[in-house]
Amino acid sequence: MSFFRNMSIKSKFLTAIAALFVVCLAFAVLVLLAMKDISGMEERVALEGRLLNSIGNVEARHLQWNIGVANMLLDKSDKEYKIVTDFTTCAWASWIKSPAYAQAVAFWPSIKDLAETIEAPHALMHTSAKDIIAHRTNGELDKAYEVFTKQTQPSLQKLQAGLASVRKTIEEAQTADEAEFARYLGEFTIKVGIFAAFLVVMMVVLVLFLTKVLLAPMAKISAYSEHCLSSDAAKLEVLPKNRTGVIATQPDEENTHVQAKESCPGFQGPSGPDCSFRR
């Protein structure tokens, strides 16, 4: 503290500014790190939304596929239906090969196990359509309907159950991440508010400090001037041995010499008449 007091005004000012700059810089680094975390959370929540949309698309596409197979069974005409029988080219297979699936597995490894349990019923569902088409072409509608009820429908239900499990896993993660994101964002907002208030206080303290430091010498000069102008301070102490003392005492000696000349013979000294006074 004494070291700071002995510093010049310029040094004190630069020290205060440097301290404030360091605090602001540290806060800026913390804000950047927090923004990085917030960005990561936002990306994760957005990814979960995209995955849910993908799962919903796969479910819708397979439901439409199933409706197409059912319409083909009910239609006794010679109309040809375009039914996907290769399970490696359907919407689910496309999603399994997409980067979205790789991201999903990276976040939730359990999805890979769920996807593997879906593969068998999914493949059976599509290959059963081949038998349905063959029986229908041969006019064997009863056999085609039997394949549909014993293979296609159960396989579709297993596929839907597996997709529902994948969707539930992602939805639970999304709910937890949204809650965490809201909590983190709330805490970050509070911290920013606290620092903003702290920064305002620091600025006020800095202004008051600089005002005190800059005005203190002026106040001392003003007080000293007033003190010098007062009646008591006007009585300067004159030392007879210095140059000022000699000059200041000379008028008194001259005055004494004049009085002595006027009163001689018989200059009245402390012990009576004294005419021995000489310059």
Side-chain angles (χ1 to χ4, degrees), residues 191-211:
K191 290 178 181 178
V192 170
I194 293 175
F195 179 79
F198 172 76
L199 187 61
V200 170
V201 173
M202 286 290 293
M203 291 297 294
V204 172
V205 171
L206 179 61
V207 170
L208 294 176
F209 169 75
L210 293 178
T211 302

Side-chain angles (χ1 to χ4, degrees), residues 238-254:
V238 179
L239 299 177
K241 292 185 179 181
N242 58 26
R243 197 166 189 177
T244 304
V246 172
I247 296 173
T249 55
Q250 282 181 357
D252 290 338
E253 293 179 356
E254 293 292 339

Side-chain angles (χ1 to χ4, degrees), residues 18-37:
L20 187 62
F21 175 77
V22 170
V23 172
C24 292
L25 182 62
F27 180 73
V29 172
L30 294 177
V31 168
L32 289 177
L33 294 176
M35 292 300 295
K36 183 179 179 180
D37 293 339

Side-chain angles (χ1 to χ4, degrees), residues 108-215:
W108 309 283
S110 60
I111 289 181
K112 185 177 181 180
D113 297 333
L114 294 173
E116 290 176 353
T117 61
I118 294 174
E119 282 300 317
H122 175 252
L124 179 60
M125 184 188 72
H126 280 283
T127 54
S128 67
K130 292 181 180 180
D131 297 333
I132 294 173
I133 293 173
H135 290 308
R136 180 177 181 274
T137 302
N138 296 330
E140 301 171 343
L141 296 180
D142 292 340
K143 290 184 179 180
Y145 184 76
E146 182 180 358
V147 172
F148 180 75
T149 55
K150 291 184 179 181
Q151 295 183 18
T152 308
Q153 286 293 91
S155 298
L156 176 64
Q157 292 173 357
K158 290 180 181 180
L159 174 64
Q160 290 177 322
L163 292 175
S165 298
V166 174
R167 185 177 63 252
K168 182 180 178 181
T169 300
I170 298 174
E171 287 175 345
E172 290 177 349
Q174 186 182 44
T175 301
D177 289 339
E178 287 177 347
E180 177 66 16
F181 176 72
R183 183 192 64 79
Y184 189 88
L185 188 60
E187 291 181 354
F188 176 73
T189 303
I190 293 174
K191 290 178 181 178
V192 170
I194 293 175
F195 179 79
F198 172 76
L199 187 61
V200 170
V201 173
M202 286 290 293
M203 291 297 294
V204 172
V205 171
L206 179 61
V207 170
L208 294 176
F209 169 75
L210 293 178
T211 302
K212 180 180 179 180
V213 170
L214 294 175
L215 295 182

